[in-house]
Each structure stands twice: as C-alpha cells, then as structure tokens.
Amino acid sequence: MLRVLGNRTYRHLFLAQVVALIGTGLATVALGLLAYDIAGADAGVVLGTALAIKMIAYVGVAPVAAAFAERLPRRRMLVLLDLLRGAVALSLPFVTEVWQVFVLIFVLQSASAAFTPTFQATIPDVLPDEGDYTRALSLSRLAYDMESLVSPMLAAALLTVVGFHTLFAGTVVGFLASAALVVSVVLPSPVPGEPRGIYDRTTRGLRIYLATPRLRGLLALSFAVSAAGSMIIVNTVVLVQAGYGLSQQATALALAAFGGGSMVAALVLPRLLEAVPDRIAMLSGAAMLAGGLALAAVAAPGYEMLLGFWLFLGLGYSLTQTPSGRLLRRSSNPEDRPALFAAQFALSHACWLVTYPAAGWLGIRIGMPLTFAVLATVAGGAVLLAAFLWPTGDPDAIEHVHADLPPDHPHVADAVQAAGGLRHAHAFVIDSHHQDWPRGA
C-alpha cells in the first residue's frame, strides 16, 4: 500500500490530507464539547442542527463549485480554500451563542464543499493505474480514520492540560500545513472537454450519477453509512457524558474506538478487493452497519459494550465507504471526474442532512434504544435497496447500439451494422455519446 507514496505529488497531497484531517478531528471533538458546554443535555440537538447546516452547505455548494473548478487552476483554488477554512476555525474559540456556531459552520463547510471533491478528483489523474489508485483509496481511508482515532486520542491528552477551546488552534495549524503542502507540488488538470454552459456544468455530474446503475446503488449505501455515522457522531457525547456520567476523555476514547475499527478495515481492503467484487464488499459492510445498530437497540449497552459496538460499526463503515472512489472512477471519463465526485459529495451528504438531525431529535424525543432501532431500520432498508439497484453482473465493457451517430463518426469506427443502429462494445460510461444506460445491462 505504501509504495504509492513514492509518487512525490501524491505523497504531498496525502500528507496535506492527513494534517488537515487531524486538525478537523480536533475541531470535531471540540465542537461536541462546545455544544455540551452551551446546551448541556440538549447538546445532541445543537450538534445535530449544526451538522445539518454543514450538510446543507455540502449539498448546495459542491455541484456549483465543481462547475467553476473546470475553469480555475486546481492548486490555487485548493490553497485559497485551505486559508479560508483556517480563518474560520480561528474564530470558533470565541463563540458564545448557538447561532454563532451555526454561521461559522456554514462558512467553514462551504469552503470544504468546494475543496474536497476537487481534491478527490485530482488523485486519479495523479495515479492513473487502477491498482495504485485502489491503494491510494485505502490510504485516504486511513487518513480519514486519523480524524476518528488519532485526533480523539490527541484531544484526550490535550484536555488533561488545556481547555477544549484550545483544540480549535490545532485545526488552524492543520489547514495552514495543508495549504503549504499543496503549494509545493504541480497538480495535473484534465484536458477540458467541449464547452458547456453553467447549467450543464453544474448538473452534469448529477445526471451521470443518477443514470448509472452502480452509482444509484452507491447512493443507497450512502444512506446506510449516514444512518450509522450520525448515531455515532451526534449521540456519543450524550451517551457517554449525560447517560453514563463519564468524562470528556471517555467521549474521545469512544470516538477513537469507531476510528480504530474503520482503520482495521482500510488496512485489509486492498488485498480483499483483489479477491472480492466491490459490490459484495460494500453490501457486506452496510449489512454490518444495520446489524450493529439493531444489536445496540436491544442490548442497552454500557460504556465498555458501547466501545465494542463502535469498533464493529467502524469496520462496516470503512468496508462500505472506501471502495466508492473506484466506482466513480469506473463510471466517468477524466474530464467529467470532478463533476461526478462533486455529485457523490453532494448526494451522499444529502443523506447525512436527513440522518444528522434525526439522530439528535430522536435521541431527545424517544430515547436512545428506539433511536438505535429506527436508524437500524433505515440502514437495513438501504442495504436491500442497494442490492436491487446495483446489478449483480456489472461489467465495464457493455455491448450497445448507437442509433443517432452517422457511420463515419469516429466513435463508431469499430461498430457493425445491427438492428436499430451501429453496435459495438467498450468500457461504458455516461457521456455526450451515451446518454442512457443500455437496457438489460
């Protein structure tokens, strides 16, 4: 897995991701503690609403940002967005009112909504080999797990000597270091495709996404991921501190257990995906999420058992989430990749927009056991829907007919005349020559 770090450009981008995510992880812990400091036992509602605002920014900003990203130098765009995120994080320690949290979260996450898909779409251009890209996805998953594992552990250590407001300073340092690492490399930009209007550029990724069966299945799996993830992110602080009467350090360790499970899965995934199709691996991971939530609903776990559940859910979370980049890469031409990554970013976070506030409000209104049960039902339904939407046989090359292209068009140079038009086969993606998925494929 580590051999891809021999590529200097990818190595610097990976390190930029790691330091930014460690800083973000510190902010995640600090934000939960800030919500508890302001609202007490109602922290789940405050945090759930703040994270819903984050999702609104992600859903609304990402496709628009991707449309403009086609026209802007990637490196300059990424650096400016890192600096903006650092400036906002610098303001968070001075928050005293709930509405101030909401405003700053919206600005911070709007910048992230522009940064993250652009960053993710750059990696396939840096590492065009599929094996290297798969290893990079697992390394990326490990980097995200730094946010869930190393950051809470670091936060737990820091909280023994400083107040939680100081944790936000780590976020600022992370974003500044990320900007410096991005500046240090030259990033490839894909050759621009045919000129398109702003509406077409804004919606193109969504249209490709929703027209591709495997990606419709991925969207259903994203709902299962968000159901489990929301329960953990929103209600851990409530379960541990309000429910069990434990410390801030215990909250950080519970989040670290979830990250630890995710990290274990990410370490084994490159070899696993050589033997198991993406569809089986991802459906299995989502089934683990639904099953773990259901067991927690009936087990009424104490703190030690909660750590075990969080570890198990971390395994399922990474198993479901990590291979998604492979599906997006398979399903797009290079020039459409930023738009498709932005569509995944927006649509997957639309799922979180539903489950974040649901986890907070249900926890207050009906109690934690029933909240576990409701979210387990959501995750289980999402797994069944994904299995239906994502065909069992999902080859790259698909035979199809072009009824609207002339025989001398370059795209059908290898085609043969057949009923209904010109027939040929190749790795199939939705683009200007293929507006719809072939029937029966």
Side-chain angles (χ1 to χ4, degrees):
M1 191 192 303
L2 296 178
R3 77 182 188 189
V4 293
L5 295 176
N7 182 305
R8 179 180 181 274
T9 300
Y10 175 70
R11 182 171 66 250
H12 283 229
L13 290 177
F14 176 71
L15 291 173
Q17 182 183 26
V18 168
V19 296
L21 284 172
I22 290 176
T24 303
L26 293 176
T28 300
V29 175
L31 185 61
L33 299 175
L34 177 63
Y36 189 77
D37 186 59
I38 293 174
D42 290 335
V45 175
V46 174
L47 190 56
T49 304
L51 294 173
I53 291 172
K54 167 184 172 179
M55 295 304 110
I56 291 171
Y58 280 7
V59 172
V61 173
V64 178
F68 286 99
E70 292 183 14
R71 307 292 180 89
L72 299 173
R74 284 187 181 177
R75 184 172 66 171
R76 184 183 305 170
M77 178 178 176
L78 293 174
V79 169
L80 290 175
L81 290 169
D82 261 338
L83 295 177
L84 175 59
R85 294 194 295 178
V88 174
L90 192 62
S91 305
L92 283 169
F94 305 102
V95 164
T96 58
E97 302 290 339
V98 169
W99 69 267
Q100 295 169 350
V101 174
F102 296 160
V103 170
L104 289 175
I105 288 298
F106 180 80
V107 176
L108 176 66
Q109 302 307 335
S110 293
S112 293
F115 182 96
T116 304
T118 305
F119 182 93
Q120 291 173 335
T122 302
I123 304 304
D125 297 328
V126 173
L127 298 171
D129 179 76
E130 183 173 8
D132 287 341
Y133 181 55
T134 300
R135 296 179 185 94
L137 285 175
S138 286
L139 279 175
S140 181
R141 182 70 258 160
L142 289 173
Y144 280 106
D145 292 335
M146 293 292 183
E147 181 180 350
S148 299
L149 179 62
V150 175
S151 296
M153 295 293 289
L154 179 60
L158 290 173
L159 287 170
T160 63
V161 293
V162 299
F164 69 83
H165 288 88
T166 308
L167 298 182
F168 289 114
T171 303
V172 178
V173 172
F175 289 142
L176 293 178
S178 173
L181 285 162
V182 173
V183 165
S184 69
V185 294
V186 176
L187 301 183
S189 292
V191 177
E194 58 192 50
R196 298 192 292 264
I198 184 63
Y199 173 79
D200 185 49
R201 286 188 287 125
T202 302
T203 61
R204 186 170 183 80
L206 293 172
R207 288 184 280 114
I208 293 172
Y209 194 106
L210 296 175
T212 305
R214 72 176 71 94
L215 297 185
R216 292 198 292 265
L218 174 60
L219 179 57
L221 292 177
S222 296
F223 218 96
V225 166
S226 70
S230 295
M231 186 67 196
I232 291 163
I233 295 171
V234 172
N235 285 322
T236 296
V237 66
V238 179
L239 283 164
V240 173
Q241 292 180 225
Y244 305 143
L246 299 177
S247 65
Q248 296 176 355
Q249 288 84 354
T251 298
L253 288 172
L255 293 171
F258 172 71
S262 182
M263 183 171 285
V264 169
L267 286 169
V268 303
L269 265 172
R271 183 161 295 180
L272 177 67
L273 291 176
E274 291 177 1
V276 176
D278 292 345
R279 183 180 185 273
I280 293 176
M282 296 173 75
L283 287 172
S284 299
M288 290 173 64
L289 296 176
L293 290 171
L295 286 172
V298 299
Y303 181 69
E304 290 76 14
M305 188 181 294
L306 183 76
L307 295 179
F309 277 118
W310 266 211
L311 179 70
F312 181 77
L313 291 173
L315 289 167
Y317 186 94
S318 185
L319 189 57
T320 310
Q321 187 92 319
T322 303
S324 61
R326 287 162 55 99
L327 303 191
L328 298 171
R329 183 176 181 270
R330 285 177 60 196
S331 303
S332 60
N333 292 318
E335 63 269 21
D336 291 325
R337 210 163 277 152
L340 191 60
F341 273 85
Q344 163 65 7
F345 190 82
L347 291 172
S348 63
H349 285 93
C351 300
W352 291 86
L353 179 58
V354 175
T355 56
Y356 263 144
W361 285 101
L362 289 173
I364 292 292
R365 298 287 185 251
I366 64 175
M368 292 302 171
L370 284 178
T371 301
F372 273 115
V374 170
L375 294 176
T377 302
V378 170
V383 174
L384 294 176
L385 182 60
F388 172 76
L389 292 173
W390 188 348
T392 303
D394 185 28
D396 286 334
I398 301 175
E399 192 172 74
H400 57 284
V401 173
H402 289 276
D404 54 349
L405 292 180
D408 60 346
H409 194 284
H411 180 71
V412 290
D414 62 340
V416 297
Q417 191 68 43
L422 297 165
R423 181 182 297 275
H424 68 165
H426 57 75
F428 193 94
V429 298
I430 299 295
D431 57 20
S432 57
H433 297 313
H434 310 86
Q435 301 290 336
D436 301 295
W437 204 261
R439 292 181 180 274

